[in-house]
Amino acid sequence: KGNGMGVLRHLQAEPERFGRPRAVVFSNYGHDPVRSRCQRLVANAPARAQCLSWLREQGGERDWEAVLEVIGAAPLDALRVDAAALVKLREETGRALEQAVRGTLDIPRTSDGWARSADYALRLACLENWLTVRLERAARAAGQSQQMGGSAHLPSGRSALNMKTLVRTLERLYELRQLGSTSINKALALEQLFWDGKAGVELAVD
């Protein structure tokens, strides 16, 4: 009862007492001061090990590791998705992107199909995961190359260009996710992402 200000004050002052809640729900009739206090409450994302343990308890044995790789540290969202279907979609997306790198994928046709798919948002999440893994590999390769140099030297131009290309592709992907509900030509935007990602990975392989 009341306007909820006392509850929020106690949550903010003594989070341990209440088990460090990760979410606070209030009605649509909440006043601005209540909303402001809710937004100031700190909610730390659970550790990966905690997420996996909780998901196994709640959802049984699934490939939760792969699911979290796609959607991030969001166990409640993970529990709502079809884990097997998401893992299959991730593998399918990865195969398509590897084919694009090898030059064997019909990029325009695939982009159009993905843009029309009901799994469009999850496709983008899988694409982001694939690009992030490649960017991490490129960063490690660049670091090892610099360590092996032994003395002062310029960094590899190819490594720097590869990372720059992949980062730019990720930035385009973030923009595409934000514009997903607009009238943007999704197929054309996806096609450009394919070409940019292909170029970035090719630089790492060559």
Side-chain angles (χ1 to χ4, degrees):
K1 295 181 179 181
N3 61 12
M5 297 296 286
V7 174
L8 292 172
R9 185 165 57 250
H10 285 300
L11 282 173
Q12 198 165 24
E14 304 175 272
E16 295 83 0
R17 178 182 174 188
F18 304 97
R20 291 189 173 276
R22 298 192 179 98
V24 176
V25 179
F26 54 96
S27 73
N28 292 332
Y29 303 101
H31 298 294
D32 288 341
V34 177
R35 185 183 300 274
S36 176
R37 281 181 176 267
C38 286
Q39 291 174 341
R40 289 204 301 270
L41 288 172
V42 178
N44 297 320
R48 177 60 65 90
Q50 291 177 309
C51 289
L52 292 172
S53 176
W54 184 82
L55 285 168
R56 292 188 184 108
E57 290 178 3
Q58 301 297 320
E61 291 298 327
R62 303 283 191 278
D63 192 354
W64 296 117
E65 186 75 41
V67 172
L68 294 181
E69 284 291 333
V70 174
I71 68 175
L76 293 177
D77 290 340
L79 203 59
R80 283 192 288 266
V81 304
D82 184 332
L86 180 57
V87 170
K88 182 178 179 181
L89 187 70
R90 179 181 182 234
E91 293 173 348
E92 181 184 322
T93 302
R95 284 195 299 270
L97 290 163
E98 295 293 349
Q99 290 172 6
V101 172
R102 294 195 298 269
T104 59
L105 182 73
D106 186 338
I107 291 180
R109 181 178 179 180
T110 302
S111 300
D112 184 66
W114 286 14
R116 299 173 185 273
S117 171
D119 298 320
Y120 173 75
L122 286 176
R123 287 277 190 191
L124 292 185
C126 293
L127 178 55
E128 178 183 351
N129 177 241
W130 189 88
L131 288 170
T132 301
V133 169
R134 268 67 191 173
L135 181 58
E136 290 174 350
R137 289 180 184 174
R140 285 197 299 269
Q144 291 171 358
S145 175
Q146 292 177 9
Q147 290 175 2
M148 292 174 62
S151 58
H153 63 285
L154 292 174
S156 167
R158 182 170 293 278
S159 296
L161 182 58
N162 169 53
M163 292 175 64
K164 181 179 179 181
T165 303
L166 290 174
V167 169
R168 185 173 64 244
T169 305
L170 276 171
E171 289 175 348
R172 289 176 186 255
L173 175 58
Y174 297 149
E175 293 174 0
L176 182 56
R177 293 180 74 170
Q178 292 174 351
L179 298 173
S181 60
T182 68
S183 59
I184 184 175
N185 188 327
K186 296 176 184 177
L188 186 60
L190 277 170
E191 186 174 344
Q192 185 61 54
L193 281 174
F194 265 117
W195 290 116
D196 287 348
K198 178 179 185 296
V201 175
E202 281 178 339
L203 286 169
V205 174
D206 290 346

